[in-house]
Amino acid sequence: MPKPPVTPLSVLDLSPVSAGQTAGEALRSTIELAVSAEASGYSRYWLAEHHLNTGVAGSAPHILAGLVASATKSIRVGTAATLLGNYRALQIAESIGTLAAVFPNRIDLGFGRSGPPKSPSEPAPGFIAAAGNIPEPDPAVRLVDGLLVPAPRPIFGAVLPRKFRLQGELLGRVPGDTDNFESDVQDIIGFFTGDYRTKHGEEVTATPALGQSPRFWIHGSTAGPSARLAGKLGLPFGANYHVAPANVLDSVAEYRAHFKPSASLAEPHVIVSADVLVASDERRAGQLALGYAQWVHGIRSGHGAIPYPSPEDALELHLDAEAEDLIKDRLDTRFVGDPDQVSEGLRTLQRATGAQEVLVTTIAHDPADRENSYQLLAEAWGL
């Protein structure tokens, strides 16, 4: 009998900057990793968008996607996600249209909703509010079909850290601009299909976007506007387990509840993300995993990711009880171990969410260990 098809496995890369490494070296490591991921059989290579983080160099995903596509031959390349409020719709269409014209049938465009709150007392949407501003019916950890679903963690208080306010100012964000998310998504798609019209009814030709066909995705961390819009438009949905594990099942359910078939997608289609680190054995994986707590605390606390420390240096960087509690959900839901252990964990995640694809992100101090982690996982997964 023929073997059942292997669930597609893909890469999400933030281009982490390790301690002692330059941003240029981190970005070149991303390109090298993409080449290796393609050779290992990964389906997609997606770039994240982060700003004002000393420990993350992935702040210009459209440019980096072009570099990755140029260095590879067949793997799909895209963004997860392009944060719409940071750009004008036409800019995104022209940038991604350029890539789609040069690399046909290889480009993905992921839409993300993140930005400043309408008022200082309202948590921001998207990444910032991924684990906050949602009800807590039961603070206990749950096991759902074998998957650990932690309690929601509050991220910030009523006032956003200065870094995020500064980021918003520098990117020209205004309070409440995420209310435009649906119209921005529709406008961008319209530039590609030729359906875009100005408010006065004028047709616009957005060269080179017009006629190109990147695959559009919507990514979300909660059972909120992003999940509902993905369903309404009949687009595939990226469910965020690695940043907001408490909400992943609810967000997927919300997407499926609102799904309407479209010309491009007859049934709901989900890719679910996870943080992983694989090594030859569990002990070695545990050693390489050191430093993640300090790195992710910088992101979760709002101060920004630090350059990723070495395992040796991480032993000297202690977090207090309050800091550890803030990131407990991130640590508890990271898949760390040997290839079989991590593969089993990811299959549990896929089963519990019903996802059609799995997206993995791996952070390690040494780029060689990161590349090896992806290779070991690909072999164990059966790519």
Side-chain angles (χ1 to χ4, degrees):
M1 294 179 61
K3 290 184 178 181
V6 176
T7 299
L9 204 59
S10 297
V11 175
L12 173 64
D13 191 1
L14 281 66
S15 301
V17 181
S18 297
Q21 190 182 42
T22 67
E25 290 170 334
L27 293 168
R28 285 188 287 273
S29 292
T30 280
I31 297 170
E32 293 169 2
L33 180 60
V35 173
S36 174
E38 180 177 68
S40 295
Y42 285 87
S43 297
R44 309 177 192 276
Y45 200 95
W46 285 351
L47 292 313
E49 179 179 339
H50 289 267
H51 300 280
L52 303 185
N53 286 279
T54 58
V56 172
S59 57
H62 303 156
I63 295 174
L64 191 53
L67 297 172
V68 168
S70 294
T72 53
K73 295 181 175 63
S74 60
I75 193 169
R76 294 193 67 92
V77 180
T79 61
T82 294
L83 304 181
L84 298 197
N86 294 346
Y87 312 86
R88 297 290 189 181
L90 179 61
Q91 291 175 301
I92 296 173
E94 290 177 337
S95 295
I96 297 300
T98 298
L99 295 178
V102 176
F103 305 102
N105 302 315
R106 289 188 57 199
I107 302 301
D108 296 332
L109 170 56
F111 299 116
R113 176 180 176 271
S114 179
K118 293 181 180 179
S119 67
S121 62
E122 178 187 350
F127 168 74
I128 296 173
N133 193 34
I134 54 178
E136 294 189 29
D138 184 354
V141 172
R142 296 181 292 152
L143 276 178
V144 180
D145 198 13
L147 179 70
L148 179 66
V149 181
R153 317 303 283 187
I155 299 181
F156 306 134
V159 180
L160 293 178
R162 174 59 184 161
K163 186 185 83 71
F164 279 102
R165 296 195 176 278
L166 178 60
Q167 173 182 307
E169 293 170 10
L170 294 174
L171 292 172
R173 304 301 299 269
V174 296
D177 62 10
T178 53
D179 290 347
N180 302 324
F181 183 65
E182 180 171 351
S183 61
D184 286 345
V185 169
Q186 298 270 32
D187 287 349
I188 292 167
I189 295 175
F191 284 128
F192 285 91
T193 61
D195 296 326
Y196 177 84
R197 298 293 183 272
T198 70
K199 61 182 179 180
H200 302 296
E202 299 168 287
E203 295 185 15
V204 173
T205 298
T207 305
L210 183 62
Q212 305 304 328
S213 54
R215 187 165 194 195
F216 302 111
W217 292 74
I218 293 181
H219 300 273
S221 299
T222 66
S226 297
R228 291 191 288 272
L229 183 60
K232 174 183 174 180
L233 299 182
L235 295 177
F237 180 63
N240 194 338
Y241 184 70
H242 82 284
V243 169
N247 308 328
V248 67
L249 298 181
D250 292 337
S251 68
V252 170
E254 188 79 354
Y255 163 64
R256 293 194 175 112
H258 287 80
F259 183 82
K260 297 180 180 179
S262 65
S264 60
L265 196 62
E267 297 179 345
H269 189 99
V270 172
I271 189 168
V272 63
S273 65
D275 258 315
V276 311
L277 195 146
V278 185
S280 55
D281 59 69
E282 185 178 7
R283 179 175 175 275
R284 176 62 175 164
Q287 291 176 331
L288 297 179
L290 295 174
Y292 179 79
Q294 293 81 1
W295 183 84
V296 81
H297 178 264
I299 297 175
R300 175 61 70 82
S301 66
H303 298 295
I306 62 173
Y308 199 93
S310 68
E312 296 75 22
D313 290 342
L315 292 173
E316 306 299 321
L317 300 174
H318 301 290
L319 297 176
D320 60 27
E322 183 178 357
E324 289 181 351
D325 185 66
L326 184 66
I327 61 171
K328 179 174 171 53
D329 61 330
R330 295 290 302 269
L331 299 180
D332 290 347
T333 56
R334 191 187 191 199
F335 299 98
V336 177
D338 65 37
D340 291 336
Q341 289 173 318
V342 173
S343 292
E344 182 180 355
L346 291 178
R347 294 191 192 284
T348 297
L349 174 63
Q350 181 195 2
R351 182 179 66 249
T353 58
Q356 285 72 37
E357 302 185 41
V358 177
L359 179 70
V360 294
T361 182
T362 294
I363 312 293
H365 173 74
D366 190 335
D369 291 324
R370 201 158 71 106
E371 183 174 329
N372 186 55
S373 175
Y374 281 110
Q375 290 175 342
L376 291 172
L377 178 60
E379 293 169 3
W381 194 258
L383 297 185

